[in-house]
Amino acid sequence: MQTKIVLYKKVADDVLALLQQEHQVVQFDGVDDNNRAAFMAELEDAVGLIGASVKIDAAVLDHAPRLKAISTISVGIDQFDPADLSRRGIVLLNTPDVLTETTADTGFALILASARRVVEMADYVRQGRWTNSIGEDCFGTDVQGKTLGIVGMGRIGGAIARRAALGFGMQVLYSNRSPNPAAEKAYAARFCPLGTLLQSSDFVCITVPLTPQTRGMIGAAELALMRPSAILVNISRGSIVDESALISALENGRLRGAGLDVFEHEPVAADSPLLKMANVVALPHIGSATHETRHGMALCAAQNLLDALSGKATPNAANRA
Ligand code: 8YV
């Protein structure tokens, strides 16, 4: 007998077909105030849930008494409470690896764009302001040969370290819960406390996952440790940085600039002071957003869910259920 899966993100036809081979699939294109009640109602007899970018908290789960597995189309699991899911006997699955290189590319794009003022200079040309050979007022700062501090040396941190050390001849510092000997060997990365990293880096790139421990870990005190010539790049989650402290630091010239793919509240408010600053490159959370990678993530998440529901071992379980 087919069992029911609720899908709450639009996926490609082949991914949908894969799920439909084994289950009845009820599909939502996101969840908002208009369809929340219908979404909750469909959960009542669902055994599987798959999607992304929606908070799945106790209030949602209380409507899903038969749920056995949730598969998020993301590596980040901050929309869930893994311990609560374990108590309810629900396994949580995510999509590591498949998005590592693409997300590291986004991080490096932000490092380069911020340092070389790519967005600002492209606007300058587009606005017809390039009327003479450019002067110092259009210069940026070098990336190659500088020091990059990576906060969190996991898969994505490692992929950024590789680009930095092997591609750009950068010195790599990193902070992490524990040392990463592989990154030290391959990229001469140096393990150091967060404070030392912030004081010694020309670029600081945040790649730690959002957890209760990392929320707000870069606040006013940490930003004050950074060099005024340094650039902060965040490709993880906005809430790791105290956004108002970052705005003050930028307004007061305490940092050269910032490259931000993520914000405390997404989509970021159109009137955010960050969007008025020429030295801030802001992106709409494009970390993994290429056709190839988003398709790979959806396929991975679908296979994770099918495996979990059929009792097969799944390497991508993010909790114990
Ligand atoms: C996605 C991400 O933007 O995987 C993650 O954790 O942040 C991104 O790849 C997001 O989860 C929507 O699919």
Short mmCIF file of all heavy atoms in Angstrom, two decimals, residues 247-309:
data_model
loop_
_atom_site.label_atom_id
_atom_site.label_comp_id
_atom_site.label_asym_id
_atom_site.label_seq_id
_atom_site.Cartn_x
_atom_site.Cartn_y
_atom_site.Cartn_z
N ILE A 247 26.20 46.55 11.20
CA ILE A 247 25.85 47.83 10.57
C ILE A 247 26.62 48.97 11.24
O ILE A 247 27.22 49.81 10.56
CB ILE A 247 24.31 48.06 10.65
CG1 ILE A 247 23.62 47.05 9.72
CG2 ILE A 247 23.94 49.50 10.28
CD1 ILE A 247 22.11 46.95 9.89
N SER A 248 26.68 48.97 12.58
CA SER A 248 27.43 50.03 13.29
C SER A 248 28.90 49.99 12.90
O SER A 248 29.51 51.04 12.64
CB SER A 248 27.37 49.87 14.81
OG SER A 248 26.08 49.86 15.25
N ALA A 249 29.48 48.79 12.87
CA ALA A 249 30.91 48.68 12.54
C ALA A 249 31.17 49.24 11.14
O ALA A 249 32.15 49.97 10.92
CB ALA A 249 31.35 47.23 12.64
N LEU A 250 30.29 48.94 10.20
CA LEU A 250 30.48 49.43 8.83
C LEU A 250 30.25 50.94 8.76
O LEU A 250 31.01 51.66 8.11
CB LEU A 250 29.53 48.70 7.87
CG LEU A 250 29.88 47.23 7.60
CD1 LEU A 250 28.68 46.48 7.01
CD2 LEU A 250 31.08 47.12 6.66
N GLU A 251 29.22 51.41 9.48
CA GLU A 251 28.94 52.85 9.46
C GLU A 251 30.09 53.66 10.06
O GLU A 251 30.36 54.77 9.64
CB GLU A 251 27.64 53.14 10.24
CG GLU A 251 26.41 52.81 9.43
CD GLU A 251 25.10 52.95 10.20
OE1 GLU A 251 25.15 53.05 11.46
OE2 GLU A 251 24.04 52.95 9.57
N ASN A 252 30.75 53.05 11.05
CA ASN A 252 31.84 53.77 11.73
C ASN A 252 33.20 53.51 11.11
O ASN A 252 34.23 53.82 11.73
CB ASN A 252 31.85 53.42 13.22
CG ASN A 252 30.56 53.86 13.88
OD1 ASN A 252 30.01 54.91 13.54
ND2 ASN A 252 30.04 53.05 14.80
N GLY A 253 33.22 52.89 9.94
CA GLY A 253 34.49 52.65 9.26
C GLY A 253 35.37 51.65 10.00
O GLY A 253 36.60 51.63 9.82
N ARG A 254 34.75 50.79 10.82
CA ARG A 254 35.53 49.82 11.59
C ARG A 254 35.88 48.58 10.75
O ARG A 254 36.64 47.74 11.16
CB ARG A 254 34.75 49.39 12.85
CG ARG A 254 34.57 50.46 13.91
CD ARG A 254 35.71 50.46 14.94
NE ARG A 254 36.06 49.12 15.39
CZ ARG A 254 37.16 48.44 15.04
NH1 ARG A 254 38.04 48.98 14.20
NH2 ARG A 254 37.39 47.24 15.50
N LEU A 255 35.29 48.49 9.56
CA LEU A 255 35.60 47.39 8.63
C LEU A 255 35.67 47.97 7.22
O LEU A 255 34.98 48.93 6.91
CB LEU A 255 34.46 46.35 8.62
CG LEU A 255 34.24 45.46 9.83
CD1 LEU A 255 33.07 44.53 9.55
CD2 LEU A 255 35.48 44.63 10.12
N ARG A 256 36.47 47.31 6.37
CA ARG A 256 36.51 47.76 4.97
C ARG A 256 35.18 47.49 4.26
O ARG A 256 34.70 48.30 3.46
CB ARG A 256 37.63 47.04 4.22
CG ARG A 256 37.74 47.47 2.75
CD ARG A 256 38.69 46.59 1.97
NE ARG A 256 40.04 46.70 2.45
CZ ARG A 256 40.92 47.65 2.05
NH1 ARG A 256 40.56 48.53 1.14
NH2 ARG A 256 42.13 47.68 2.55
N GLY A 257 34.61 46.32 4.55
CA GLY A 257 33.37 45.98 3.85
C GLY A 257 32.85 44.62 4.27
O GLY A 257 33.43 43.95 5.14
N ALA A 258 31.76 44.22 3.64
CA ALA A 258 31.16 42.92 3.94
C ALA A 258 30.56 42.33 2.68
O ALA A 258 30.05 43.06 1.81
CB ALA A 258 30.09 43.06 5.02
N GLY A 259 30.64 41.01 2.60
CA GLY A 259 29.99 40.27 1.52
C GLY A 259 29.00 39.32 2.16
O GLY A 259 29.39 38.42 2.91
N LEU A 260 27.72 39.54 1.92
CA LEU A 260 26.70 38.82 2.69
C LEU A 260 25.74 38.08 1.76
O LEU A 260 25.06 38.69 0.93
CB LEU A 260 25.89 39.82 3.54
CG LEU A 260 26.73 40.72 4.47
CD1 LEU A 260 25.84 41.80 5.09
CD2 LEU A 260 27.43 39.89 5.54
N ASP A 261 25.69 36.76 1.93
CA ASP A 261 24.71 35.96 1.18
C ASP A 261 23.51 35.66 2.07
O ASP A 261 22.50 35.15 1.57
CB ASP A 261 25.36 34.65 0.72
CG ASP A 261 24.47 33.86 -0.23
OD1 ASP A 261 23.81 34.49 -1.10
OD2 ASP A 261 24.41 32.62 -0.12
N VAL A 262 23.65 35.95 3.36
CA VAL A 262 22.61 35.56 4.33
C VAL A 262 22.37 36.70 5.31
O VAL A 262 23.27 37.50 5.56
CB VAL A 262 23.04 34.28 5.08
CG1 VAL A 262 22.99 33.06 4.17
CG2 VAL A 262 24.43 34.43 5.69
N PHE A 263 21.15 36.74 5.85
CA PHE A 263 20.74 37.86 6.70
C PHE A 263 19.94 37.33 7.88
O PHE A 263 19.39 36.21 7.82
CB PHE A 263 19.90 38.84 5.87
CG PHE A 263 20.70 39.43 4.75
CD1 PHE A 263 20.82 38.75 3.54
CD2 PHE A 263 21.40 40.60 4.92
CE1 PHE A 263 21.62 39.24 2.51
CE2 PHE A 263 22.20 41.11 3.90
CZ PHE A 263 22.31 40.43 2.69
N GLU A 264 19.85 38.17 8.94
CA GLU A 264 19.09 37.75 10.12
C GLU A 264 17.66 37.41 9.74
O GLU A 264 17.10 36.42 10.19
CB GLU A 264 19.11 38.89 11.14
CG GLU A 264 19.76 38.50 12.45
CD GLU A 264 20.01 39.70 13.35
OE1 GLU A 264 19.09 40.52 13.54
OE2 GLU A 264 21.13 39.81 13.86
N HIS A 265 17.04 38.27 8.92
CA HIS A 265 15.70 38.00 8.41
C HIS A 265 15.77 37.98 6.90
O HIS A 265 16.28 38.92 6.29
CB HIS A 265 14.70 39.07 8.88
CG HIS A 265 14.63 39.15 10.36
ND1 HIS A 265 14.01 38.19 11.13
CD2 HIS A 265 15.15 40.04 11.22
CE1 HIS A 265 14.14 38.49 12.40
NE2 HIS A 265 14.84 39.61 12.50
N GLU A 266 15.28 36.89 6.31
CA GLU A 266 15.30 36.78 4.84
C GLU A 266 13.89 36.66 4.31
O GLU A 266 13.07 35.97 4.92
CB GLU A 266 16.13 35.55 4.44
CG GLU A 266 17.60 35.73 4.82
CD GLU A 266 18.48 34.55 4.43
OE1 GLU A 266 17.99 33.61 3.77
OE2 GLU A 266 19.66 34.57 4.79
N PRO A 267 13.59 37.34 3.20
CA PRO A 267 14.43 38.28 2.46
C PRO A 267 14.76 39.51 3.32
O PRO A 267 13.91 39.95 4.10
CB PRO A 267 13.54 38.69 1.27
CG PRO A 267 12.48 37.66 1.18
CD PRO A 267 12.26 37.13 2.56
N VAL A 268 15.97 40.04 3.13
CA VAL A 268 16.37 41.22 3.89
C VAL A 268 15.44 42.39 3.54
O VAL A 268 14.99 42.52 2.39
CB VAL A 268 17.86 41.57 3.60
CG1 VAL A 268 18.06 42.01 2.16
CG2 VAL A 268 18.39 42.61 4.57
N ALA A 269 15.13 43.23 4.54
CA ALA A 269 14.22 44.36 4.30
C ALA A 269 14.83 45.32 3.28
O ALA A 269 16.03 45.61 3.34
CB ALA A 269 13.97 45.08 5.62
N ALA A 270 14.00 45.78 2.37
CA ALA A 270 14.50 46.67 1.30
C ALA A 270 15.10 47.95 1.87
O ALA A 270 15.93 48.59 1.23
CB ALA A 270 13.36 46.99 0.34
N ASP A 271 14.67 48.33 3.11
CA ASP A 271 15.23 49.57 3.69
C ASP A 271 16.38 49.28 4.67
O ASP A 271 16.76 50.15 5.45
CB ASP A 271 14.13 50.39 4.36
CG ASP A 271 13.48 49.64 5.53
OD1 ASP A 271 13.82 48.44 5.73
OD2 ASP A 271 12.66 50.25 6.24
N SER A 272 16.94 48.07 4.63
CA SER A 272 18.08 47.78 5.52
C SER A 272 19.23 48.73 5.19
O SER A 272 19.58 48.91 4.01
CB SER A 272 18.55 46.34 5.33
OG SER A 272 19.82 46.18 5.94
N PRO A 273 19.86 49.32 6.23
CA PRO A 273 21.02 50.20 5.97
C PRO A 273 22.12 49.48 5.19
O PRO A 273 22.88 50.10 4.45
CB PRO A 273 21.51 50.55 7.39
CG PRO A 273 20.37 50.27 8.31
CD PRO A 273 19.53 49.21 7.66
N LEU A 274 22.18 48.16 5.31
CA LEU A 274 23.22 47.41 4.60
C LEU A 274 23.14 47.62 3.10
O LEU A 274 24.15 47.64 2.40
CB LEU A 274 23.10 45.91 4.91
CG LEU A 274 23.46 45.48 6.33
CD1 LEU A 274 23.01 44.05 6.59
CD2 LEU A 274 24.97 45.63 6.58
N LEU A 275 21.91 47.78 2.61
CA LEU A 275 21.73 47.88 1.16
C LEU A 275 22.08 49.26 0.62
O LEU A 275 22.13 49.46 -0.59
CB LEU A 275 20.29 47.50 0.78
CG LEU A 275 19.82 46.13 1.29
CD1 LEU A 275 18.45 45.79 0.74
CD2 LEU A 275 20.82 45.03 0.92
N LYS A 276 22.31 50.18 1.54
CA LYS A 276 22.68 51.55 1.09
C LYS A 276 24.19 51.73 1.07
O LYS A 276 24.69 52.76 0.64
CB LYS A 276 22.05 52.57 2.04
CG LYS A 276 20.53 52.53 2.00
CD LYS A 276 19.92 53.75 2.67
CE LYS A 276 18.42 53.76 2.50
NZ LYS A 276 17.77 52.58 3.13
N MET A 277 24.91 50.74 1.56
CA MET A 277 26.36 50.91 1.70
C MET A 277 27.07 50.38 0.45
O MET A 277 26.89 49.22 0.07
CB MET A 277 26.86 50.15 2.93
CG MET A 277 26.26 50.67 4.22
SD MET A 277 26.96 49.75 5.61
CE MET A 277 25.82 50.23 6.90
N ALA A 278 27.92 51.23 -0.13
CA ALA A 278 28.64 50.83 -1.35
C ALA A 278 29.62 49.69 -1.07
O ALA A 278 29.96 48.93 -1.97
CB ALA A 278 29.37 52.04 -1.92
N ASN A 279 30.07 49.60 0.18
CA ASN A 279 31.07 48.57 0.51
C ASN A 279 30.44 47.27 1.02
O ASN A 279 31.11 46.44 1.62
CB ASN A 279 32.08 49.10 1.53
CG ASN A 279 31.42 49.61 2.79
OD1 ASN A 279 30.21 49.81 2.82
ND2 ASN A 279 32.20 49.79 3.84
N VAL A 280 29.14 47.11 0.78
CA VAL A 280 28.47 45.85 1.13
C VAL A 280 27.97 45.19 -0.15
O VAL A 280 27.25 45.81 -0.93
CB VAL A 280 27.28 46.08 2.10
CG1 VAL A 280 26.47 44.81 2.27
CG2 VAL A 280 27.80 46.57 3.45
N VAL A 281 28.38 43.95 -0.37
CA VAL A 281 27.83 43.17 -1.48
C VAL A 281 26.78 42.25 -0.87
O VAL A 281 27.10 41.41 -0.02
CB VAL A 281 28.92 42.35 -2.19
CG1 VAL A 281 28.30 41.51 -3.30
CG2 VAL A 281 30.01 43.26 -2.75
N ALA A 282 25.54 42.42 -1.26
CA ALA A 282 24.43 41.63 -0.68
C ALA A 282 23.84 40.73 -1.75
O ALA A 282 23.52 41.18 -2.85
CB ALA A 282 23.36 42.58 -0.14
N LEU A 283 23.70 39.47 -1.42
CA LEU A 283 23.11 38.50 -2.35
C LEU A 283 21.89 37.85 -1.70
O LEU A 283 21.80 37.77 -0.48
CB LEU A 283 24.14 37.41 -2.70
CG LEU A 283 25.40 37.87 -3.42
CD1 LEU A 283 26.35 36.69 -3.62
CD2 LEU A 283 25.05 38.47 -4.77
N PRO A 284 20.95 37.36 -2.52
CA PRO A 284 19.70 36.80 -1.97
C PRO A 284 19.81 35.31 -1.63
O PRO A 284 19.04 34.51 -2.11
CB PRO A 284 18.72 37.03 -3.12
CG PRO A 284 19.56 36.91 -4.34
CD PRO A 284 20.92 37.46 -3.99
N HIS A 285 20.76 34.96 -0.77
CA HIS A 285 20.98 33.57 -0.33
C HIS A 285 21.09 32.62 -1.54
O HIS A 285 20.29 31.71 -1.71
CB HIS A 285 19.85 33.11 0.62
CG HIS A 285 20.21 31.92 1.44
ND1 HIS A 285 19.77 31.72 2.72
CD2 HIS A 285 20.99 30.84 1.17
CE1 HIS A 285 20.24 30.58 3.20
NE2 HIS A 285 20.99 30.03 2.27
N ILE A 286 22.13 32.89 -2.34
CA ILE A 286 22.34 32.06 -3.55
C ILE A 286 23.35 30.95 -3.33
O ILE A 286 23.76 30.28 -4.29
CB ILE A 286 22.81 32.90 -4.76
CG1 ILE A 286 24.21 33.51 -4.51
CG2 ILE A 286 21.81 33.98 -5.13
CD1 ILE A 286 24.88 34.00 -5.78
N GLY A 287 23.80 30.75 -2.09
CA GLY A 287 24.89 29.79 -1.78
C GLY A 287 24.96 28.58 -2.71
O GLY A 287 25.96 28.34 -3.37
N SER A 288 23.89 27.81 -2.74
CA SER A 288 23.90 26.56 -3.53
C SER A 288 23.09 26.69 -4.82
O SER A 288 22.82 25.69 -5.48
CB SER A 288 23.29 25.44 -2.68
OG SER A 288 21.93 25.77 -2.37
N ALA A 289 22.71 27.92 -5.16
CA ALA A 289 21.69 28.11 -6.19
C ALA A 289 22.23 28.10 -7.62
O ALA A 289 22.28 29.12 -8.30
CB ALA A 289 20.91 29.40 -5.92
N THR A 290 22.64 26.91 -8.06
CA THR A 290 22.86 26.70 -9.50
C THR A 290 21.88 25.61 -9.93
O THR A 290 21.42 24.82 -9.10
CB THR A 290 24.30 26.24 -9.81
OG1 THR A 290 24.52 24.96 -9.23
CG2 THR A 290 25.33 27.24 -9.30
N HIS A 291 21.59 25.56 -11.22
CA HIS A 291 20.66 24.53 -11.71
C HIS A 291 21.15 23.14 -11.33
O HIS A 291 20.40 22.31 -10.83
CB HIS A 291 20.51 24.62 -13.24
CG HIS A 291 19.80 25.87 -13.68
ND1 HIS A 291 18.48 26.10 -13.43
CD2 HIS A 291 20.25 26.96 -14.33
CE1 HIS A 291 18.13 27.27 -13.92
NE2 HIS A 291 19.19 27.82 -14.46
N GLU A 292 22.46 22.92 -11.56
CA GLU A 292 23.01 21.57 -11.32
C GLU A 292 22.92 21.20 -9.85
O GLU A 292 22.50 20.09 -9.49
CB GLU A 292 24.48 21.51 -11.76
CG GLU A 292 24.73 21.82 -13.23
CD GLU A 292 24.98 23.30 -13.50
OE1 GLU A 292 24.51 24.16 -12.73
OE2 GLU A 292 25.65 23.61 -14.51
N THR A 293 23.35 22.13 -8.99
CA THR A 293 23.44 21.78 -7.57
C THR A 293 22.07 21.68 -6.93
O THR A 293 21.81 20.74 -6.15
CB THR A 293 24.35 22.80 -6.85
OG1 THR A 293 25.66 22.62 -7.37
CG2 THR A 293 24.39 22.57 -5.35
N ARG A 294 21.15 22.60 -7.24
CA ARG A 294 19.82 22.50 -6.65
C ARG A 294 19.13 21.21 -7.10
O ARG A 294 18.42 20.57 -6.34
CB ARG A 294 18.98 23.72 -7.00
CG ARG A 294 19.34 24.94 -6.16
CD ARG A 294 18.97 24.73 -4.69
NE ARG A 294 19.44 25.80 -3.84
CZ ARG A 294 18.78 26.93 -3.62
NH1 ARG A 294 17.62 27.13 -4.18
NH2 ARG A 294 19.29 27.85 -2.83
N HIS A 295 19.37 20.80 -8.35
CA HIS A 295 18.79 19.54 -8.82
C HIS A 295 19.42 18.37 -8.07
O HIS A 295 18.71 17.47 -7.59
CB HIS A 295 18.98 19.39 -10.33
CG HIS A 295 18.32 18.16 -10.87
ND1 HIS A 295 19.03 17.08 -11.33
CD2 HIS A 295 17.01 17.82 -10.98
CE1 HIS A 295 18.20 16.12 -11.72
NE2 HIS A 295 16.97 16.55 -11.51
N GLY A 296 20.73 18.41 -7.91
CA GLY A 296 21.43 17.36 -7.17
C GLY A 296 20.96 17.27 -5.73
O GLY A 296 20.79 16.18 -5.17
N MET A 297 20.71 18.42 -5.12
CA MET A 297 20.23 18.44 -3.72
C MET A 297 18.84 17.82 -3.61
O MET A 297 18.56 17.04 -2.69
CB MET A 297 20.18 19.88 -3.20
CG MET A 297 21.54 20.50 -2.96
SD MET A 297 21.43 22.30 -2.76
CE MET A 297 20.58 22.44 -1.19
N ALA A 298 17.97 18.16 -4.56
CA ALA A 298 16.60 17.63 -4.52
C ALA A 298 16.60 16.11 -4.71
O ALA A 298 15.89 15.38 -4.02
CB ALA A 298 15.73 18.32 -5.57
N LEU A 299 17.44 15.65 -5.65
CA LEU A 299 17.54 14.20 -5.88
C LEU A 299 18.08 13.49 -4.64
O LEU A 299 17.56 12.45 -4.23
CB LEU A 299 18.50 13.92 -7.04
CG LEU A 299 17.94 13.69 -8.42
CD1 LEU A 299 19.07 13.31 -9.38
CD2 LEU A 299 16.85 12.61 -8.43
N CYS A 300 19.10 14.07 -4.05
CA CYS A 300 19.71 13.50 -2.85
C CYS A 300 18.66 13.43 -1.72
O CYS A 300 18.51 12.40 -1.06
CB CYS A 300 20.91 14.36 -2.43
SG CYS A 300 21.62 13.95 -0.84
N ALA A 301 17.92 14.52 -1.56
CA ALA A 301 16.91 14.56 -0.48
C ALA A 301 15.80 13.53 -0.74
O ALA A 301 15.32 12.87 0.19
CB ALA A 301 16.32 15.95 -0.37
N ALA A 302 15.40 13.39 -2.01
CA ALA A 302 14.35 12.42 -2.34
C ALA A 302 14.84 11.01 -2.04
O ALA A 302 14.14 10.20 -1.43
CB ALA A 302 13.97 12.56 -3.82
N GLN A 303 16.08 10.71 -2.46
CA GLN A 303 16.63 9.37 -2.21
C GLN A 303 16.79 9.12 -0.71
O GLN A 303 16.48 8.03 -0.21
CB GLN A 303 17.98 9.22 -2.94
CG GLN A 303 18.45 7.79 -3.07
CD GLN A 303 17.44 6.90 -3.82
OE1 GLN A 303 17.09 7.19 -4.96
NE2 GLN A 303 16.93 5.85 -3.16
N ASN A 304 17.22 10.16 0.02
CA ASN A 304 17.34 10.04 1.49
C ASN A 304 15.99 9.62 2.09
O ASN A 304 15.92 8.75 2.96
CB ASN A 304 17.69 11.40 2.11
CG ASN A 304 19.15 11.79 1.93
OD1 ASN A 304 20.00 10.95 1.63
ND2 ASN A 304 19.43 13.08 2.10
N LEU A 305 14.93 10.27 1.61
CA LEU A 305 13.60 10.01 2.19
C LEU A 305 13.13 8.59 1.84
O LEU A 305 12.63 7.86 2.71
CB LEU A 305 12.60 11.05 1.68
CG LEU A 305 11.22 11.00 2.32
CD1 LEU A 305 11.30 11.19 3.84
CD2 LEU A 305 10.29 12.05 1.72
N LEU A 306 13.32 8.21 0.56
CA LEU A 306 12.90 6.86 0.16
C LEU A 306 13.66 5.81 0.97
O LEU A 306 13.06 4.84 1.46
CB LEU A 306 13.15 6.65 -1.34
CG LEU A 306 12.33 7.53 -2.28
CD1 LEU A 306 12.69 7.23 -3.73
CD2 LEU A 306 10.83 7.36 -2.05
N ASP A 307 14.95 6.02 1.14
CA ASP A 307 15.76 5.06 1.90
C ASP A 307 15.27 4.98 3.34
O ASP A 307 15.08 3.88 3.88
CB ASP A 307 17.25 5.46 1.89
CG ASP A 307 17.89 5.22 0.52
OD1 ASP A 307 17.25 4.56 -0.33
OD2 ASP A 307 19.02 5.69 0.30
N ALA A 308 15.07 6.13 3.96
CA ALA A 308 14.66 6.13 5.37
C ALA A 308 13.30 5.45 5.53
O ALA A 308 13.10 4.66 6.45
CB ALA A 308 14.61 7.56 5.90
N LEU A 309 12.38 5.73 4.61
CA LEU A 309 11.03 5.16 4.75
C LEU A 309 11.00 3.67 4.44
O LEU A 309 10.11 2.95 4.90
CB LEU A 309 10.03 5.91 3.86
CG LEU A 309 9.73 7.34 4.30
CD1 LEU A 309 8.80 8.03 3.31
CD2 LEU A 309 9.13 7.39 5.71
#
